[in-house]
Amino acid sequence: MVRHSARLALAAALAAASACAAAQEVTLRLVSAFPENQFYVKRTLDWIADFNKDGKGILQINFIGGPKAIPTFEVGKAVQSGVVDMGFSTGAFYTNVMPEADILKLSETSAAEQRKNGGYELINKIWAEKGNMRYLAKVVEFTPFHLYLNKKIDKPDLTGLKIRITPVYREFFQSMNAQVMTTAPGEVYTALERGVIDGYGWPIHALFDLNWQEHTKYRVDPGFYNAEVGLLINLDKYKSLAPAQREYLDRKTLAYEQQNDFWKSYNQEEAKRQAAAGIQVITFDDATNKAYVEKAKEVGWANAIKASPVYGPQLRKVLAK
Ligand code: 173
């Protein structure tokens, strides 16, 4: 009799424990490939605060830090291997995981359109297969990249100029004869201050975050490509979540992505701010400007297809217009 009730009690305790495990709150560790003082990170920290408030008892995100925690170009690897659960990065920073990552810069369709035209599924097929990760959401878009310079040019020729790059700009700037040097954003200020570089590639926004306006004379217009910054999660971690937790994560990251129109007005303000800070615009005649943008695109896709002969053309169908 005693033994029977002890067994019942044990069974009840086990049942309670497993019910509890199903509902147990999980905390995901997130690192940013962008420096902590960048507005991207501040905006994401606000989103995380809201995520954690609504996700009590379900899912939480613990922001570990920026490149001081894990170097910019290692964040993708850390997500792939599960050293961290989540990453906040851009494709150009994790081409060491898969070359396809940098192809996202060639998006002419929006993230919202890619959710409808099969692009989001294709990206996630590739990211799962090659990166052991899931691409949760794109949270920066509608943002061109530009070439910024400290020496004046009167045609798109960068002969004799040393330009800071990431994979985003490599082939395009090399096609204009630039001498290129890859650095993480966190190293650009010092390179500018010391005169080690004559210019750099960067989006239309976010140079004030890192004080680069102090050492920037010119911006070349027009811009090219479309900056992409996304939230990634290790695929094993994603699969280990309970359905309600995955649903919460998908819903909250999608809601963040759906705020991307924000960047349209923000970028206009940033361009004004650059003018006010004395950054002058270098531009060419209409035909040259058109050829400049066309060349960026042509060089970008040629390289994408060379780097990824199977997925490059498939991505082109859903990203290009
Ligand atoms: O220039 C860069 O560091 C870069 O590649 C990038 C990509 C997306 C957003 C901001 C910067």
Side-chain angles (χ1 to χ4, degrees), residues 22 239-250:
K239 286 182 178 163
S240 78
L241 298 175
Q245 291 168 327
R246 268 205 301 269
E247 187 276 328
Y248 183 69
L249 183 63
D250 290 345

Side-chain angles (χ1 to χ4, degrees), residues 233-245:
I233 185 168
N234 172 276
L235 191 61
D236 304 310
K237 191 71 187 190
Y238 183 73
K239 286 182 178 163
S240 78
L241 298 175
Q245 291 168 327

Side-chain angles (χ1 to χ4, degrees), residues 34 38 40 90 92-93 140 145 164-169 183-185 201-203 205 227-229:
F34 291 96
Q38 248 192 270
Y40 289 169
T90 181
F93 295 167
V140 175
F145 292 103
R164 172 271 174 184
I165 58 152
T166 67
V168 165
Y169 325 93
T183 83
W202 191 246
H205 61 216
E228 165 273 338
V229 177

Side-chain angles (χ1 to χ4, degrees), residues 21-29 51-52 55-62 85 233 237 240-242 245:
Q24 198 152 55
E25 184 183 278
V26 167
T27 298
L28 302 169
R29 291 158 41 89
F51 184 101
N52 288 346
K56 283 204 178 76
I58 309 166
L59 200 55
Q60 299 285 290
I61 295 174
N62 178 13
D85 303 314
I233 185 168
K237 191 71 187 190
S240 78
L241 298 175
Q245 291 168 327

Side-chain angles (χ1 to χ4, degrees), residues 6 8 18 27 34 38 53 56 59 65 115 129 176 209 279 283 304 312-313 315:
L8 273 182
S18 78
T27 298
F34 291 96
Q38 248 192 270
K53 183 167 63 69
K56 283 204 178 76
L59 200 55
R115 295 235 180 206
E129 181 189 306
M176 295 184 280
D209 301 2
I279 297 176
T283 193
L315 283 166

